Amino acid sequence: MEATNKQLTSIWGPWWVPVRRWFYPAWLIYETSCRFYNYSIDVYLYIHHSQGGITTYIGDTATQVLAILGGLATFLICTAFLTAPTSFILFKFFEKEGLTGSTLETQIKRFL
């Protein structure tokens, strides 16, 4: 029975196995960076346009600086705490065979 139990090859072919280790984390970084960039733009617009009451207290220039810093902080925090660890875990998932030792892993890796 163990003689017939072997790792199935990817449906994309044998050339895809070394490429996928870098492709999926890079794709995740790209997609999440685009999404987090949009979040940071929304934070900027919210602070800059919707908060007219803040301008009376700190002025136009300080509101502009606060909006930029808020957008930048949103992007950096989301990237540091969500994108980087997830990309590393995804890289490790495709780097090692049998990382979790489950049959679900072998089924997922076959299609990816």
Side-chain angles (χ1 to χ4, degrees):
M1 182 172 191
E2 290 182 14
T4 60
N5 188 10
K6 63 177 184 169
Q7 176 71 30
L8 298 172
T9 59
S10 173
I11 61 172
W12 301 107
W15 62 272
W16 181 249
V17 175
V19 172
R20 72 180 180 186
R21 180 178 7 173
W22 295 101
F23 173 74
Y24 288 118
W27 174 75
L28 178 71
I29 289 170
Y30 168 74
E31 286 293 325
T32 55
S33 295
C34 289
R35 193 71 65 190
F36 295 151
Y37 176 74
N38 289 334
Y39 292 164
S40 64
I41 293 295
D42 290 339
V43 168
Y44 170 81
L45 292 175
Y46 176 76
I47 293 172
H48 191 259
H49 295 295
S50 300
Q51 296 298 317
I54 233 172
T55 306
T56 59
Y57 293 112
I58 62 175
D60 277 338
T61 307
T63 303
Q64 183 77 12
V65 169
L66 179 66
I68 291 170
L69 290 177
L72 185 63
T74 301
F75 180 78
L76 292 176
I77 289 170
C78 289
T79 300
F81 288 107
L82 298 173
T83 304
T86 308
S87 296
F88 179 73
I89 290 169
L90 192 60
F91 176 77
K92 286 296 183 187
F93 180 74
F94 285 110
E95 184 181 41
K96 296 182 180 180
E97 291 295 324
L99 183 66
T100 62
S102 67
T103 57
L104 179 64
E105 177 186 355
T106 57
Q107 291 173 350
I108 289 174
K109 284 185 178 179
R110 177 174 176 241
F111 290 110
L112 298 177

